[in-house]
Amino acid sequence: MNTQNIINLIKRYFIESGRKDITTFVSVLLIIAFVGVFQPMGRVSDSLMWLILYIMSIVFAGRVFGIFQPANRAIHYLTIPASSAEKTLVNACLVYLYYNILLITALFLGGILSELVRKIIVSSYELQLYFPFDWNDLCFLLILESIFMFGSIYFKTHAVSKTLLSLLVIAIFFVILDTTILGFYMQSFTSGSFHRVQNSLEKDNFDLLEYAVSILVFLFFNFMTWLRLRETEA
């Protein structure tokens, strides 16, 4: 890892996309503020905030390696004096840290602005200043971002839509598989024995396993992103 290469990559990003990110920040802030002012029940709904965060973060992750269009941009990016690991690290930081913080800050400030405007309009209104932060939702978002970041380097065109379609196909496959397995066990066990197995499973603590699988999936797609970039540059 070369620190100077990493700094140059970060500078390059902000030179090319800094203004666009400022526009995004202001737009999200004003949208949330506008919607919040006209909410009949007060503050902006939690689901709306998370929906905006999910959609915009996923789209950003799905385009972060948009190096194949146009062709001259792809050639320029691939010939930048930085290793595949350095480029992957910088883009991962942009996706997981920078852009999420940018959006969360815009959502939070937009909510505050809407509350202040409502307070000015209705003096008896009680301020509700908070952001619906949830670790589980954030962890799930990071996993989705890692998948879409891999999709951005794997698919040469329309990476976001192709990655989304791939996830849909995989989800349908697992639903069918899960239904098939459940049907098999329902036929194999009597009602009493099935409930005994179900109760014994419910007593086990799956939290550790769930977090372990999530971390493995997250690391796997980051590794695949680096590997795909390395193959592209070879």
Side-chain angles (χ1 to χ4, degrees):
M1 289 285 181
N2 187 305
T3 305
Q4 189 58 47
N5 288 343
I6 294 175
I7 293 174
N8 290 337
L9 286 170
I10 294 174
K11 287 181 178 179
R12 175 183 177 274
Y13 171 81
F14 283 106
I15 290 173
E16 294 182 353
S17 305
R19 291 184 179 179
K20 182 174 65 177
D21 289 348
I22 292 175
T23 302
T24 300
F25 178 86
V26 174
S27 299
V28 172
L29 189 153
L30 293 178
I31 289 172
I32 290 297
F34 179 80
V35 172
V37 169
F38 294 98
Q39 283 287 318
M41 300 301 294
R43 60 179 175 80
V44 181
S45 66
D46 301 352
S47 57
L48 176 61
M49 285 192 172
W50 278 105
L51 180 64
I52 293 175
L53 179 61
Y54 265 72
I55 292 176
M56 298 195 68
S57 296
I58 287 173
V59 171
F60 178 79
R63 293 178 176 178
V64 71
F65 274 108
I67 62 176
F68 298 104
Q69 290 183 332
N72 60 343
R73 183 183 177 188
I75 295 173
H76 173 69
Y77 185 82
L78 294 174
T79 55
I80 290 176
S83 67
S84 302
E86 291 165 350
K87 293 175 182 177
T88 303
L89 176 62
V90 169
N91 281 333
C93 290
L94 290 174
V95 171
Y96 304 135
L97 295 176
Y98 164 70
Y99 208 71
N100 283 337
I101 293 174
L102 178 80
L103 290 176
I104 290 174
T105 304
L107 292 170
F108 181 71
L109 293 179
I112 291 178
L113 181 59
S114 68
E115 291 293 303
L116 293 176
V117 172
R118 289 179 69 90
K119 181 66 176 178
I120 293 173
I121 296 175
V122 182
S123 58
S124 60
Y125 178 75
E126 295 183 3
L127 295 177
Q128 305 177 53
L129 305 178
Y130 83 105
F131 181 79
F133 187 83
D134 186 274
W135 276 110
N136 292 328
D137 289 338
L138 185 59
C139 289
F140 183 64
L141 174 61
L142 292 177
I143 293 174
L144 283 180
E145 287 176 332
S146 68
I147 296 173
F148 276 85
M149 187 168 71
F150 171 67
S152 72
I153 188 68
Y154 185 82
F155 297 111
K156 293 183 178 181
T157 58
H158 308 293
V160 176
S161 57
K162 289 181 179 178
T163 305
L164 189 62
L165 181 61
S166 300
L167 286 176
L168 180 61
V169 172
I170 294 173
I172 293 174
F173 169 76
F174 275 107
V175 168
I176 296 174
L177 181 64
D178 182 67
T179 305
T180 304
I181 294 175
L182 181 61
F184 172 78
Y185 277 106
M186 287 293 290
Q187 293 175 0
S188 300
F189 297 128
T190 61
S191 177
S193 62
F194 177 78
H195 283 296
R196 284 196 296 272
V197 172
Q198 186 181 37
N199 292 332
S200 65
L201 290 175
E202 289 175 350
K203 294 177 183 178
D204 294 334
N205 187 354
F206 289 104
D207 290 342
L208 184 59
L209 178 61
E210 181 180 352
Y211 284 121
V213 171
S214 299
I215 292 173
L216 288 176
V217 171
F218 177 79
L219 294 177
F220 170 77
F221 279 102
N222 280 279
F223 173 76
M224 292 300 296
T225 299
W226 166 77
L227 189 63
R228 179 65 176 178
L229 179 59
R230 186 180 179 184
E231 291 177 354
T232 304
E233 292 180 326

